């Protein structure tokens, strides 16, 4: 492993691991490095958001019908710019854009990869200084190199992800990613402007005592989910219940905590979101890839592995149960027992 002064930077790590990809010629490494550059730019704006006119509404509404924050638009523009500049990405599906983003430039259309991303997830937390995040996934294109990306490039199962990760803009800024050989975390050292390896080979606990769900939706949940939540709240010293309820309302922050400490995150179907709220392409698939690579599990609550779901549309939503394997299995048992009609 390359390092300097016992510090391994993101780029050193990427290059060091490149040898694990026999056919790689550095394209994926270059793409990941450019994502790191965009993350540093967004970090800079997020960290001074209270001081400059970057908070508040952008006066636009995105495809989700959600009002766009100025930082949403800023992050979207900078990640698109960085991915295009890498010359390795021929197209992007972004939470902030209705259709896929393709490029006129020949260099970009020679790119072998496409990226799905939520450039700034957790927007409702931006103006109140709560952790937010960027989520990304990288796939090999299916369409011929040298042409514009096509919609089918983006409607691949999560099992086809070449890499996936997130950036969490919190008490520190971290980038956590996988290329299918484990999960590693890098903490940004602003004094040198580098992401430095801080969490090597992250393994999530097999079980835990944290459950993360928006209990404000309780009465809209399927019966099995209600029963599981009550199970989490019952007293049982042997299984350390009641568990601890932790919910920030920012997927990256909630997942990151549970990844390190053990726990389960649930966004079930509700009366308002009959297919769940979270999007398959750029929220659930990348997080599911990370969960499985660290020893956890991710399903739709009905026994379907998130990564096996064939996407039908860019912004498709899916119920999401992710985290410690034993806890996801237990939640599914409750759903199976009380919600047989969900099949
Ligand atoms: P709710 C943020 O808007 C987000 O997409 C995820 O980051 C988060 O987990 C979820 O929505 C929160 O949704 O309905 O609980 O506010």
């Amino acid at each position: 492993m390359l390092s300097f002064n016992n510090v391994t930077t993101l780029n050193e790590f990427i290059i060091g691991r490149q040898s694990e990809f026999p056919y790689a010629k550095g394209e994926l490494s270059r793409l990941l490095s450019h994502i790191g550059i965009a993350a540093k730019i967004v970090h800079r704006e997020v960290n001074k958001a209270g001081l400059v006119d970057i908070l508040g509404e952008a006066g636009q509404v995105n495809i989700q019908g959600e009002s766009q924050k100025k930082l949403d638009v800023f992050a979207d523009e900078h990640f698109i710019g960085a991915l295009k500049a890498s010359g390795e990405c021929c197209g992007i599906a972004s939470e902030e854009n209705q259709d896929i983003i393709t490029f006129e430039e020949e260099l970009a259309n020679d790119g072998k990869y496409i990226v799905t991303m939520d450039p700034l997830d957790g927007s409702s937390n931006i103006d109140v200084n709560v952790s937010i995040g960027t989520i990304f996934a990288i796939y090999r294109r299916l369409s011929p190199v040298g042409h514009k990306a096509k919609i089918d490039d983006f409607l691949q199962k999560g099992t086809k992800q070449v890499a996936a990760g997130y950036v969490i803009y919190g008490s520190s800024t971290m980038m956590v990613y996988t290329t299918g050989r484990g999960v590693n975390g890098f903490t940004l050292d602003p004094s040198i402007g580098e992401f430095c390896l801080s969490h090597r080979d992250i393994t999530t606990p097999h079980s835990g005592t944290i459950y993360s769900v928006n209990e404000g939706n309780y009465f809209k949940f399927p019966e099995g989910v209600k029963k599981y939540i009550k199970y989490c709240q019952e007293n049982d010293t042997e299984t350390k219940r009641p568990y601890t309820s932790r919910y920030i309302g920012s997927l990256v922050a909630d997942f990151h905590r549970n990844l390190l400490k053990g726990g389960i995150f649930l966004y079930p179907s509700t009366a308002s979101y009959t297919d769940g709220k979270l999007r398959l392409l750029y929220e659930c698939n990348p997080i599911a890839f990370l969960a499985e690579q660290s020893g956890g599990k991710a399903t739709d609550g009905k026994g379907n592995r998130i990564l096996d779901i064939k996407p039908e549309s860019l912004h498709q939503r899916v119920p999401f149960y992710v985290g410690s394997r034993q806890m996801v299995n237990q939640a599914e048992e409750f759903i199976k027992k009380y919600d047989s009609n969900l099949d």
Side-chain angles (χ1 to χ4, degrees):
M1 182 64 60
L2 295 168
S3 69
F4 177 69
N5 275 348
N6 290 323
V7 168
T8 301
T9 67
L10 174 64
N11 283 350
E12 287 163 343
F13 186 86
I14 291 170
I15 292 165
R17 286 288 182 100
Q18 191 171 289
S19 57
E20 292 173 2
F21 295 86
Y23 307 111
K25 302 179 187 65
E27 296 99 336
L28 180 61
S29 301
R30 186 173 163 78
L31 192 48
L32 284 166
S33 296
H34 275 72
I35 289 172
I37 293 167
K40 290 184 219 177
I41 294 170
V42 173
H43 156 83
R44 185 188 61 203
E45 289 308 298
V46 167
N47 268 24
K48 64 183 183 183
L51 302 174
V52 296
D53 181 24
I54 193 81
L55 290 176
E57 310 294 325
Q60 301 156 199
V61 173
N62 67 11
I63 166 67
Q64 324 295 339
E66 298 162 346
S67 67
Q68 287 182 309
K69 302 281 190 181
K70 292 176 184 172
L71 262 180
D72 278 328
V73 175
F74 178 90
D76 193 44
E77 289 170 354
H78 280 76
F79 274 98
I80 291 169
L83 291 168
K84 178 178 172 181
S86 75
E88 310 300 349
C89 172
C90 64
I92 301 165
S94 167
E95 193 227 23
E96 299 300 336
N97 302 77
Q98 177 163 349
D99 300 314
I100 62 172
I101 298 156
T102 56
F103 306 115
E104 295 305 324
E105 291 75 0
E106 189 178 328
L107 174 67
N109 289 327
D110 287 342
K112 297 177 182 168
Y113 298 99
I114 61 101
V115 173
T116 66
M117 70 173 183
D118 187 347
L120 206 59
D121 181 75
S123 305
S124 57
N125 292 304
I126 290 175
D127 295 359
V128 294
N129 210 15
V130 169
S131 299
I132 50 183
T134 298
I135 311 170
F136 65 89
I138 302 173
Y139 297 78
R140 283 186 191 82
R141 70 184 301 173
L142 301 176
S143 56
V145 172
H147 300 273
K148 287 191 175 185
K150 303 290 185 206
I151 184 66
D152 287 347
D153 290 323
F154 298 86
L155 301 181
Q156 300 182 59
K157 288 183 180 180
T159 47
K160 296 295 186 183
Q161 290 175 103
V162 175
Y166 59 78
V167 182
I168 178 169
Y169 309 97
S171 51
S172 64
T173 292
M174 276 190 71
M175 181 163 161
V176 177
Y177 83 93
T178 183
T179 55
R181 289 172 173 75
V183 177
N184 290 279
F186 300 79
T187 300
L188 182 63
D189 179 344
S191 69
I192 58 172
E194 290 287 355
F195 280 105
C196 302
L197 183 61
S198 54
H199 296 67
R200 186 191 295 269
D201 288 331
I202 297 172
T203 303
T204 198
H206 179 68
S207 188
T209 59
I210 296 172
Y211 71 103
S212 306
V213 64
N214 182 343
E215 297 191 47
N217 294 325
Y218 178 82
F219 289 105
K220 303 175 194 167
F221 286 150
E223 192 58 27
V225 175
K226 290 180 184 176
K227 295 288 188 189
Y228 177 66
I229 291 173
K230 287 306 164 198
Y231 167 82
C232 293
Q233 295 169 345
E234 284 166 354
N235 282 308
D236 181 312
T237 50
E238 190 182 329
T239 56
K240 299 180 184 174
R241 287 181 288 130
Y243 292 157
T244 297
S245 173
R246 287 286 183 275
Y247 191 77
I248 298 175
S250 183
L251 173 61
V252 171
D254 279 317
F255 176 75
H256 183 71
R257 177 200 54 244
N258 293 359
L259 175 71
L260 299 182
K261 290 177 176 261
I264 182 172
F265 173 94
L266 313 87
Y267 208 108
S269 56
T270 69
S272 316
Y273 292 108
T274 51
D275 290 324
K277 176 183 180 185
L278 301 180
R279 279 54 61 107
L280 177 60
L281 257 64
Y282 41 77
E283 289 173 322
C284 300
N285 266 336
I287 294 295
F289 191 17
L290 290 161
E292 290 196 2
Q293 282 291 309
S294 58
K297 185 171 183 177
T299 77
D300 65 356
K302 294 172 276 184
N304 302 308
R305 184 185 178 213
I306 289 290
L307 297 182
D308 285 336
I309 297 173
K310 172 68 173 70
E312 300 303 327
S313 63
L314 289 182
H315 304 286
Q316 168 176 343
R317 301 175 192 268
V318 66
F320 196 38
Y321 299 73
V322 63
S324 295
R325 183 166 288 275
Q326 184 275 335
M327 298 182 84
V328 174
N329 287 337
Q330 188 153 44
E332 288 207 305
E333 285 304 313
F334 277 87
I335 294 167
K336 196 171 183 179
K337 182 175 179 182
Y338 294 97
D339 293 307
S340 52
N341 63 319
L342 282 184
D343 294 335

mmCIF file of all heavy atoms in Angstrom, residues 66 95 118 121-125 135 213-214 217 247-252 254 265 267 273 277-279 283, ligand 1:
data_model
loop_
_atom_site.group_PDB
_atom_site.id
_atom_site.type_symbol
_atom_site.label_atom_id
_atom_site.label_comp_id
_atom_site.label_asym_id
_atom_site.label_seq_id
_atom_site.Cartn_x
_atom_site.Cartn_y
_atom_site.Cartn_z
ATOM 1 N N GLU A 66 -39.750 18.215 -5.294
ATOM 2 C CA GLU A 66 -39.196 18.818 -4.071
ATOM 3 C C GLU A 66 -38.500 20.129 -4.419
ATOM 4 O O GLU A 66 -37.819 20.220 -5.445
ATOM 5 C CB GLU A 66 -38.178 17.839 -3.453
ATOM 6 C CG GLU A 66 -38.792 16.508 -3.036
ATOM 7 C CD GLU A 66 -37.746 15.411 -2.841
ATOM 8 O OE1 GLU A 66 -36.579 15.624 -3.285
ATOM 9 O OE2 GLU A 66 -38.082 14.368 -2.269
ATOM 10 N N GLU A 95 -30.534 12.612 -9.096
ATOM 11 C CA GLU A 95 -31.810 12.867 -8.433
ATOM 12 C C GLU A 95 -32.366 14.206 -8.843
ATOM 13 O O GLU A 95 -33.561 14.416 -8.881
ATOM 14 C CB GLU A 95 -31.649 12.833 -6.909
ATOM 15 C CG GLU A 95 -32.990 12.788 -6.185
ATOM 16 C CD GLU A 95 -33.116 13.768 -5.020
ATOM 17 O OE1 GLU A 95 -32.391 14.771 -5.007
ATOM 18 O OE2 GLU A 95 -33.963 13.503 -4.160
ATOM 19 N N ASP A 118 -27.074 10.857 -6.147
ATOM 20 C CA ASP A 118 -27.858 11.854 -5.447
ATOM 21 C C ASP A 118 -26.819 12.873 -4.979
ATOM 22 O O ASP A 118 -26.114 12.618 -4.005
ATOM 23 C CB ASP A 118 -28.612 11.219 -4.270
ATOM 24 C CG ASP A 118 -29.581 12.209 -3.627
ATOM 25 O OD1 ASP A 118 -29.473 13.418 -3.926
ATOM 26 O OD2 ASP A 118 -30.414 11.769 -2.816
ATOM 27 N N ASP A 121 -27.903 14.525 -0.689
ATOM 28 C CA ASP A 121 -29.069 13.869 -0.085
ATOM 29 C C ASP A 121 -29.287 14.411 1.326
ATOM 30 O O ASP A 121 -28.332 14.636 2.070
ATOM 31 C CB ASP A 121 -28.811 12.364 -0.036
ATOM 32 C CG ASP A 121 -29.996 11.632 0.564
ATOM 33 O OD1 ASP A 121 -31.006 11.484 -0.139
ATOM 34 O OD2 ASP A 121 -29.916 11.280 1.754
ATOM 35 N N GLY A 122 -30.560 14.611 1.670
ATOM 36 C CA GLY A 122 -30.866 15.113 3.017
ATOM 37 C C GLY A 122 -31.040 16.610 3.033
ATOM 38 O O GLY A 122 -30.808 17.282 4.038
ATOM 39 N N SER A 123 -31.455 17.137 1.871
ATOM 40 C CA SER A 123 -31.501 18.608 1.705
ATOM 41 C C SER A 123 -32.240 19.329 2.820
ATOM 42 O O SER A 123 -31.857 20.430 3.202
ATOM 43 C CB SER A 123 -32.177 18.948 0.376
ATOM 44 O OG SER A 123 -31.508 18.289 -0.662
ATOM 45 N N SER A 124 -33.274 18.681 3.370
ATOM 46 C CA SER A 124 -34.064 19.389 4.395
ATOM 47 C C SER A 124 -33.188 19.718 5.604
ATOM 48 O O SER A 124 -33.537 20.547 6.428
ATOM 49 C CB SER A 124 -35.248 18.517 4.830
ATOM 50 O OG SER A 124 -34.753 17.259 5.317
ATOM 51 N N ASN A 125 -32.015 19.059 5.683
ATOM 52 C CA ASN A 125 -31.138 19.301 6.847
ATOM 53 C C ASN A 125 -30.111 20.398 6.589
ATOM 54 O O ASN A 125 -29.387 20.795 7.505
ATOM 55 C CB ASN A 125 -30.399 17.998 7.204
ATOM 56 C CG ASN A 125 -31.353 16.945 7.729
ATOM 57 O OD1 ASN A 125 -32.061 17.184 8.687
ATOM 58 N ND2 ASN A 125 -31.411 15.799 7.062
ATOM 59 N N ILE A 135 -24.393 10.522 -2.646
ATOM 60 C CA ILE A 135 -24.397 9.077 -2.873
ATOM 61 C C ILE A 135 -24.146 8.826 -4.359
ATOM 62 O O ILE A 135 -24.711 9.524 -5.204
ATOM 63 C CB ILE A 135 -25.751 8.441 -2.474
ATOM 64 C CG1 ILE A 135 -26.193 8.905 -1.078
ATOM 65 C CG2 ILE A 135 -25.670 6.916 -2.516
ATOM 66 C CD1 ILE A 135 -27.618 8.513 -0.714
ATOM 67 N N VAL A 213 -36.029 4.719 11.897
ATOM 68 C CA VAL A 213 -37.246 4.795 11.082
ATOM 69 C C VAL A 213 -37.973 6.074 11.467
ATOM 70 O O VAL A 213 -37.857 6.533 12.612
ATOM 71 C CB VAL A 213 -38.148 3.556 11.325
ATOM 72 C CG1 VAL A 213 -38.650 3.495 12.766
ATOM 73 C CG2 VAL A 213 -39.306 3.515 10.335
ATOM 74 N N ASN A 214 -38.702 6.662 10.521
ATOM 75 C CA ASN A 214 -39.473 7.859 10.838
ATOM 76 C C ASN A 214 -40.780 7.431 11.505
ATOM 77 O O ASN A 214 -41.758 7.087 10.823
ATOM 78 C CB ASN A 214 -39.773 8.664 9.570
ATOM 79 C CG ASN A 214 -40.531 9.959 9.886
ATOM 80 O OD1 ASN A 214 -41.103 10.094 10.973
ATOM 81 N ND2 ASN A 214 -40.510 10.889 8.951
ATOM 82 N N ASN A 217 -44.507 8.169 10.759
ATOM 83 C CA ASN A 217 -45.319 7.451 9.762
ATOM 84 C C ASN A 217 -45.939 6.173 10.344
ATOM 85 O O ASN A 217 -46.516 5.370 9.605
ATOM 86 C CB ASN A 217 -44.452 7.078 8.548
ATOM 87 C CG ASN A 217 -43.973 8.302 7.792
ATOM 88 O OD1 ASN A 217 -44.686 9.294 7.701
ATOM 89 N ND2 ASN A 217 -42.745 8.233 7.266
ATOM 90 N N TYR A 247 -32.786 8.561 14.411
ATOM 91 C CA TYR A 247 -33.219 8.900 13.053
ATOM 92 C C TYR A 247 -32.927 10.362 12.779
ATOM 93 O O TYR A 247 -33.448 11.246 13.453
ATOM 94 C CB TYR A 247 -34.718 8.633 12.889
ATOM 95 C CG TYR A 247 -35.213 8.704 11.463
ATOM 96 C CD1 TYR A 247 -34.974 7.662 10.586
ATOM 97 C CD2 TYR A 247 -35.911 9.821 10.986
ATOM 98 C CE1 TYR A 247 -35.425 7.700 9.261
ATOM 99 C CE2 TYR A 247 -36.354 9.883 9.675
ATOM 100 C CZ TYR A 247 -36.108 8.829 8.818
ATOM 101 O OH TYR A 247 -36.557 8.888 7.518
ATOM 102 N N ILE A 248 -32.043 10.610 11.806
ATOM 103 C CA ILE A 248 -31.636 11.993 11.506
ATOM 104 C C ILE A 248 -32.455 12.554 10.344
ATOM 105 O O ILE A 248 -32.568 13.755 10.157
ATOM 106 C CB ILE A 248 -30.125 12.019 11.162
ATOM 107 C CG1 ILE A 248 -29.297 11.546 12.377
ATOM 108 C CG2 ILE A 248 -29.667 13.398 10.716
ATOM 109 C CD1 ILE A 248 -27.815 11.416 12.096
ATOM 110 N N GLY A 249 -32.996 11.642 9.504
ATOM 111 C CA GLY A 249 -33.720 12.116 8.319
ATOM 112 C C GLY A 249 -32.755 12.439 7.196
ATOM 113 O O GLY A 249 -33.078 13.182 6.275
ATOM 114 N N SER A 250 -31.562 11.896 7.276
ATOM 115 C CA SER A 250 -30.550 12.038 6.225
ATOM 116 C C SER A 250 -29.971 10.642 6.026
ATOM 117 O O SER A 250 -29.236 10.141 6.891
ATOM 118 C CB SER A 250 -29.475 13.027 6.698
ATOM 119 O OG SER A 250 -28.524 13.238 5.699
ATOM 120 N N LEU A 251 -30.308 10.008 4.892
ATOM 121 C CA LEU A 251 -29.978 8.594 4.689
ATOM 122 C C LEU A 251 -28.505 8.301 4.931
ATOM 123 O O LEU A 251 -28.154 7.349 5.630
ATOM 124 C CB LEU A 251 -30.378 8.166 3.276
ATOM 125 C CG LEU A 251 -29.955 6.758 2.824
ATOM 126 C CD1 LEU A 251 -30.570 5.684 3.728
ATOM 127 C CD2 LEU A 251 -30.362 6.529 1.368
ATOM 128 N N VAL A 252 -27.625 9.139 4.369
ATOM 129 C CA VAL A 252 -26.192 8.871 4.484
ATOM 130 C C VAL A 252 -25.763 8.888 5.948
ATOM 131 O O VAL A 252 -25.029 8.007 6.414
ATOM 132 C CB VAL A 252 -25.373 9.897 3.665
ATOM 133 C CG1 VAL A 252 -23.887 9.763 3.958
ATOM 134 C CG2 VAL A 252 -25.638 9.715 2.178
ATOM 135 N N ASP A 254 -27.706 8.473 8.700
ATOM 136 C CA ASP A 254 -28.313 7.348 9.426
ATOM 137 C C ASP A 254 -27.615 6.028 9.073
ATOM 138 O O ASP A 254 -27.302 5.219 9.958
ATOM 139 C CB ASP A 254 -29.815 7.253 9.096
ATOM 140 C CG ASP A 254 -30.655 8.248 9.905
ATOM 141 O OD1 ASP A 254 -30.408 8.393 11.121
ATOM 142 O OD2 ASP A 254 -31.554 8.883 9.313
ATOM 143 N N PHE A 265 -31.833 0.353 9.299
ATOM 144 C CA PHE A 265 -32.541 1.533 8.776
ATOM 145 C C PHE A 265 -33.724 1.016 7.960
ATOM 146 O O PHE A 265 -33.557 0.113 7.130
ATOM 147 C CB PHE A 265 -31.613 2.362 7.893
ATOM 148 C CG PHE A 265 -32.306 3.505 7.187
ATOM 149 C CD1 PHE A 265 -32.317 4.776 7.732
ATOM 150 C CD2 PHE A 265 -32.983 3.293 5.987
ATOM 151 C CE1 PHE A 265 -32.966 5.821 7.090
ATOM 152 C CE2 PHE A 265 -33.653 4.335 5.350
ATOM 153 C CZ PHE A 265 -33.634 5.601 5.900
ATOM 154 N N TYR A 267 -37.073 2.296 5.578
ATOM 155 C CA TYR A 267 -38.033 3.215 4.991
ATOM 156 C C TYR A 267 -39.094 2.363 4.296
ATOM 157 O O TYR A 267 -38.990 2.077 3.114
ATOM 158 C CB TYR A 267 -37.436 4.241 4.039
ATOM 159 C CG TYR A 267 -38.289 5.491 4.040
ATOM 160 C CD1 TYR A 267 -37.867 6.660 4.636
ATOM 161 C CD2 TYR A 267 -39.604 5.461 3.530
ATOM 162 C CE1 TYR A 267 -38.680 7.774 4.698
ATOM 163 C CE2 TYR A 267 -40.436 6.557 3.600
ATOM 164 C CZ TYR A 267 -39.977 7.720 4.191
ATOM 165 O OH TYR A 267 -40.791 8.832 4.276
ATOM 166 N N TYR A 273 -46.214 7.011 0.474
ATOM 167 C CA TYR A 273 -45.224 6.441 -0.466
ATOM 168 C C TYR A 273 -45.477 4.934 -0.556
ATOM 169 O O TYR A 273 -44.899 4.149 0.192
ATOM 170 C CB TYR A 273 -43.805 6.710 0.033
ATOM 171 C CG TYR A 273 -43.379 8.166 0.012
ATOM 172 C CD1 TYR A 273 -43.253 8.893 1.190
ATOM 173 C CD2 TYR A 273 -43.108 8.817 -1.198
ATOM 174 C CE1 TYR A 273 -42.851 10.225 1.179
ATOM 175 C CE2 TYR A 273 -42.711 10.157 -1.223
ATOM 176 C CZ TYR A 273 -42.582 10.858 -0.030
ATOM 177 O OH TYR A 273 -42.187 12.184 -0.048
ATOM 178 N N LYS A 277 -40.106 5.662 -0.080
ATOM 179 C CA LYS A 277 -39.724 7.002 -0.547
ATOM 180 C C LYS A 277 -38.387 6.988 -1.277
ATOM 181 O O LYS A 277 -38.155 7.797 -2.180
ATOM 182 C CB LYS A 277 -39.618 7.954 0.644
ATOM 183 C CG LYS A 277 -39.137 9.349 0.286
ATOM 184 C CD LYS A 277 -38.969 10.237 1.487
ATOM 185 C CE LYS A 277 -38.481 11.626 1.089
ATOM 186 N NZ LYS A 277 -38.209 12.464 2.292
ATOM 187 N N LEU A 278 -37.490 6.092 -0.888
ATOM 188 C CA LEU A 278 -36.118 6.146 -1.381
ATOM 189 C C LEU A 278 -35.998 5.560 -2.781
ATOM 190 O O LEU A 278 -36.704 4.610 -3.137
ATOM 191 C CB LEU A 278 -35.180 5.438 -0.398
ATOM 192 C CG LEU A 278 -35.199 6.045 1.009
ATOM 193 C CD1 LEU A 278 -34.263 5.302 1.939
ATOM 194 C CD2 LEU A 278 -34.862 7.530 0.975
ATOM 195 N N ARG A 279 -35.084 6.144 -3.566
ATOM 196 C CA ARG A 279 -34.971 5.792 -4.972
ATOM 197 C C ARG A 279 -33.962 4.653 -5.166
ATOM 198 O O ARG A 279 -32.866 4.627 -4.575
ATOM 199 C CB ARG A 279 -34.529 7.019 -5.782
ATOM 200 C CG ARG A 279 -35.658 8.010 -6.142
ATOM 201 C CD ARG A 279 -36.487 8.529 -4.981
ATOM 202 N NE ARG A 279 -35.700 9.260 -4.026
ATOM 203 C CZ ARG A 279 -35.737 10.587 -3.892
ATOM 204 N NH1 ARG A 279 -36.516 11.306 -4.670
ATOM 205 N NH2 ARG A 279 -34.983 11.206 -2.979
ATOM 206 N N GLU A 283 -29.987 5.838 -4.468
ATOM 207 C CA GLU A 283 -29.953 5.780 -3.004
ATOM 208 C C GLU A 283 -29.827 4.324 -2.549
ATOM 209 O O GLU A 283 -28.845 3.937 -1.925
ATOM 210 C CB GLU A 283 -31.207 6.440 -2.416
ATOM 211 C CG GLU A 283 -31.225 7.961 -2.579
ATOM 212 C CD GLU A 283 -32.539 8.613 -2.158
ATOM 213 O OE1 GLU A 283 -33.607 8.030 -2.414
ATOM 214 O OE2 GLU A 283 -32.490 9.708 -1.572
HETATM 215 P P1 LIG B 1 -38.592 11.463 5.806
HETATM 216 C C1 LIG B 1 -33.868 12.981 2.508
HETATM 217 O O1 LIG B 1 -34.860 13.805 1.917
HETATM 218 C C2 LIG B 1 -34.227 11.540 2.214
HETATM 219 O O2 LIG B 1 -34.267 11.323 0.833
HETATM 220 C C3 LIG B 1 -33.224 10.610 2.879
HETATM 221 O O3 LIG B 1 -31.958 11.173 3.005
HETATM 222 C C4 LIG B 1 -33.858 10.349 4.238
HETATM 223 O O4 LIG B 1 -33.502 9.090 4.765
HETATM 224 C C5 LIG B 1 -35.357 10.423 3.939
HETATM 225 O O5 LIG B 1 -35.510 11.245 2.777
HETATM 226 C C6 LIG B 1 -36.111 11.055 5.078
HETATM 227 O O6 LIG B 1 -37.485 11.021 4.730
HETATM 228 O O7 LIG B 1 -39.910 11.160 5.131
HETATM 229 O O8 LIG B 1 -38.385 10.616 7.036
HETATM 230 O O9 LIG B 1 -38.342 12.928 6.083
#
